[in-house]
């Protein structure tokens, strides 16, 4: 029996085990958990269990092997995302007089104190380091019968650092003497066929398959947000890009500091619109929204590797695999496995309305520090 685990994830018809997230510092926000609705930019959080399924295996089952694919922890914005935030900060600074004059509601009162940002780019944040260390400890405690001997990471700094922090939690201080031989990396380039980044070696793959969907959806949901905020602060003249920057500020302040005043500035439906944007992006670029069968074919690179390991096809299978990549690694793997598939395709709904009953939800599948664990198990015989 194979079970899929996730740092958050839909249950996919298989037993799913999820560790609770380290709690962030949250501004008061009614009963809507906005942290769990920020798509693939969500902090690590406990995944929902589908009705009728349990987190643990039956008592008479014995886990025989563990295969972990772990997303890196919380990070700073990507280089193409940070300008949305910094441009917003500049506009707020240049219009401080209008802000001071405005009668602001409580959820925007923080603007009178001035909003600045110290966010970096691309790298792992302090909460991200904590997530991976804690997950390393948790996995060691969950499967004490297995002794990990190797760690594999995609060759990108935040992925490598995530793997290192996980290893510190899993191995302890002995990791220092182990890492020279036990730690390896897999290039993320267009020459290396990899189950961590299979899209890199596909000449027909294009990020715009997903990004174009977000542009289409953004043209619908972002202008009303900017209009609402401009009505509260006359003369500020926020644009759709500025509204986008405020949503990114919510997600990335949380990723870096565990708290953001911006998250309470939005309504529940606005946060859900942002979540849908990120679902469209990931589904379109790293899932079923790719043209033809490209998504399942790219995901098959992971599936074929998994089959070889679970069947010991090479004769060298390990009892436990500890591997680290991206949200895209897990999304493509899920696509290759045929999970969380919507019909009709999600890409057909880029102009709205939101598909509230959709299966593909990056908030649950691939928040920061997501874990996907395959574990074959057999029924034990009573003695």
């Amino acid at each position: 029996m194979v079970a899929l685990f996730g740092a958050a994830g839909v249950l996919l018809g298989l037993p799913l085990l999820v560790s609770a997230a380290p709690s962030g510092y949250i501004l008061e926000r009614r009963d809507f958990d906005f942290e769990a609705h920020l798509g693939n930019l969500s902090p690590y959080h406990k995944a929902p269990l589908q009705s009728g399924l349990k987190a643990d295996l039956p008592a008479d089952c014995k886990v025989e092997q563990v295969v972990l694919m772990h997303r890196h922890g919380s990070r700073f914005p990507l280089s193409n995302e940070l300008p949305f935030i910094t441009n917003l900060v500049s506009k707020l600074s240049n219009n401080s007089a209008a802000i001071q004059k405005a009668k602001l509601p409580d959820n925007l009162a923080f603007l009178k104190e001035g909003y600045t940002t110290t966010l970096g780019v691309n790298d792992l944040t302090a909460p991200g380091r904590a997530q991976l260390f804690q997950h390393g400890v948790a996995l060691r405690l969950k499967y004490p019968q297995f002794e990990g001997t190797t760690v594999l990471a995609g060759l990108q700094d935040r992925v490598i650092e995530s793997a290192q922090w996980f290893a510190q939690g899993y191995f302890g201080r002995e990791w220092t003497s182990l890492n020279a031989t036990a730690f390896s990396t897999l290039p993320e380039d267009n020459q290396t066929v990899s189950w961590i980044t299979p899209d890199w070696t596909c000449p027909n793959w294009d990020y715009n398959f997903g990004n174009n969907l977000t542009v289409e959806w953004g043209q619908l949901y972002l202008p009303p947000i900017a209009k609402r905020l401009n009505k509260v602060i006359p003369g500020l003249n926020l644009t759709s890009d500025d509204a986008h920057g405020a949503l990114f500020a919510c997600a990335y302040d949380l990723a870096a500091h565990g708290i953001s005043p911006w998250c309470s500035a939005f309504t529940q439906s606005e946060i859900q619109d942002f979540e849908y944007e990120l679902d469209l992006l990931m589904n379109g670029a790293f899932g079923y929204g790719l043209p033809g069968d490209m998504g399942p074919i790219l995901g098959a690179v992971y599936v074929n590797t998994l089959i070889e390991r679970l069947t010991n096809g090479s004769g060298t299978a390990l009892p436990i695999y500890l591997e680290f990549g991206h949200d895209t690694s897990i999304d493509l793997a899920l696509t290759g496995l045929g999970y969380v598939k919507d019909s009709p395709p999600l890409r057909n709904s880029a102009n709205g309305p939101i598909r509230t009953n959709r299966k593909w939800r990056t908030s649950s599948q691939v928040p920061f520090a997501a874990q996907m664990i395959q574990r074959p198990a057999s029924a034990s015989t009573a003695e």
Side-chain angles (χ1 to χ4, degrees):
M1 180 172 136
V2 177
L4 177 67
F5 292 61
V10 251
L11 286 193
L12 317 176
L14 296 172
L16 178 72
L17 178 65
V18 184
S19 302
S23 58
Y25 302 99
I26 307 172
L27 293 178
E28 186 279 325
R29 176 158 181 102
R30 301 180 292 279
D31 59 353
F32 175 66
D33 185 6
F34 66 89
E35 284 197 353
H37 291 276
L38 295 173
N40 59 313
L41 307 184
S42 297
Y44 178 76
H45 61 277
K46 188 174 182 179
L49 280 171
Q50 289 182 355
S51 176
L53 296 179
K54 297 181 180 180
D56 295 316
L57 290 172
D60 62 345
C61 282
K62 177 184 177 182
V63 176
E64 297 179 335
Q65 192 178 22
V66 171
V67 181
L68 168 70
M69 173 59 73
H70 205 306
R71 185 191 179 190
H72 61 74
S74 292
R75 59 163 171 77
F76 289 117
L78 299 177
S79 58
N80 64 333
E81 296 170 328
L82 185 60
F84 287 97
I85 301 174
T86 55
N87 290 342
L88 170 65
V89 169
S90 295
K91 179 165 286 189
L92 293 173
S93 177
N94 293 336
N95 290 275
S96 58
I99 293 172
Q100 295 303 322
K101 184 178 179 181
K103 185 176 181 180
L104 299 180
D106 291 344
N107 65 340
L108 291 173
F110 70 92
L111 292 174
K112 287 187 179 290
E113 301 298 321
Y115 174 78
T116 58
T117 184
T118 58
L119 294 172
V121 180
N122 296 333
D123 294 336
L124 207 63
T125 63
R129 295 193 289 272
Q131 291 158 2
L132 270 293
F133 181 86
Q134 291 165 8
H135 288 179
V137 172
L139 195 77
R140 187 60 177 259
L141 294 175
K142 182 66 180 177
Y143 302 106
Q145 69 272 38
F146 299 125
E147 181 70 30
T149 58
T150 63
V151 175
L152 177 68
L155 190 56
Q156 191 166 119
D157 187 73
R158 60 180 176 271
V159 179
I160 292 172
E161 186 180 357
S162 292
Q164 291 169 335
W165 282 105
F166 179 96
Q168 291 280 359
Y170 184 87
F171 294 103
R173 287 188 296 178
E174 62 189 88
W175 169 245
T176 303
S177 60
L178 288 173
N179 65 20
T181 56
F183 192 94
S184 60
T185 59
L186 195 58
E188 297 186 4
D189 57 33
N190 60 7
Q191 302 298 317
T192 307
V193 178
S194 163
W195 57 95
I196 294 177
T197 52
D199 48 292
W200 278 77
T201 50
C202 177
N204 295 325
W205 178 85
D206 191 330
Y207 181 78
N208 285 322
F209 290 136
N211 192 60
N212 289 344
L213 300 178
T214 70
V215 172
E216 186 176 348
W217 175 241
Q219 290 172 346
L220 293 175
Y221 92 91
L222 290 171
I225 298 177
K227 182 178 180 180
R228 178 178 66 80
L229 295 175
N230 285 329
K231 187 175 181 180
V232 176
I233 313 175
L236 191 55
N237 297 321
L238 294 176
T239 65
S240 293
D241 281 351
D242 295 326
H244 214 190
L247 287 161
F248 279 130
C250 162
Y252 284 116
D253 282 348
L254 283 175
H257 311 302
I259 186 172
S260 176
W262 279 109
C263 295
S264 290
F266 299 103
T267 66
Q268 176 176 332
S269 63
E270 288 168 347
I271 291 290
Q272 290 171 324
D273 286 344
F274 181 56
E275 178 184 34
Y276 193 60
E277 173 193 336
L278 297 171
D279 285 353
L280 288 169
L281 172 64
M282 300 304 288
N283 188 277
F286 306 100
Y288 298 104
L290 288 166
D293 292 328
M294 186 183 296
I297 289 171
L298 291 175
V301 180
Y302 172 84
V303 175
N304 291 337
T305 302
L306 179 66
I307 291 172
E308 179 179 322
R309 291 169 172 177
L310 299 185
T311 60
N312 198 15
S314 64
T316 58
L318 300 174
I320 184 168
Y321 289 85
L322 307 174
E323 299 181 340
F324 299 81
H326 306 267
D327 47 0
T328 60
S329 308
I330 295 175
D331 277 340
L332 283 169
L334 294 177
T335 304
L337 290 164
Y339 297 140
V340 292
K341 184 176 183 178
D342 291 291
S343 183
L346 205 58
R347 64 172 177 263
N348 292 2
S349 301
N351 59 354
I354 286 181
R355 298 264 290 278
T356 56
N357 63 342
R358 66 191 182 277
K359 297 177 181 178
W360 183 279
R361 290 182 180 272
T362 53
S363 295
S364 295
Q365 294 164 204
V366 287
F368 287 126
Q371 303 172 91
M372 181 176 68
I373 300 178
Q374 310 285 351
R375 51 175 188 177
S378 61
S380 58
T381 302
E383 298 182 2

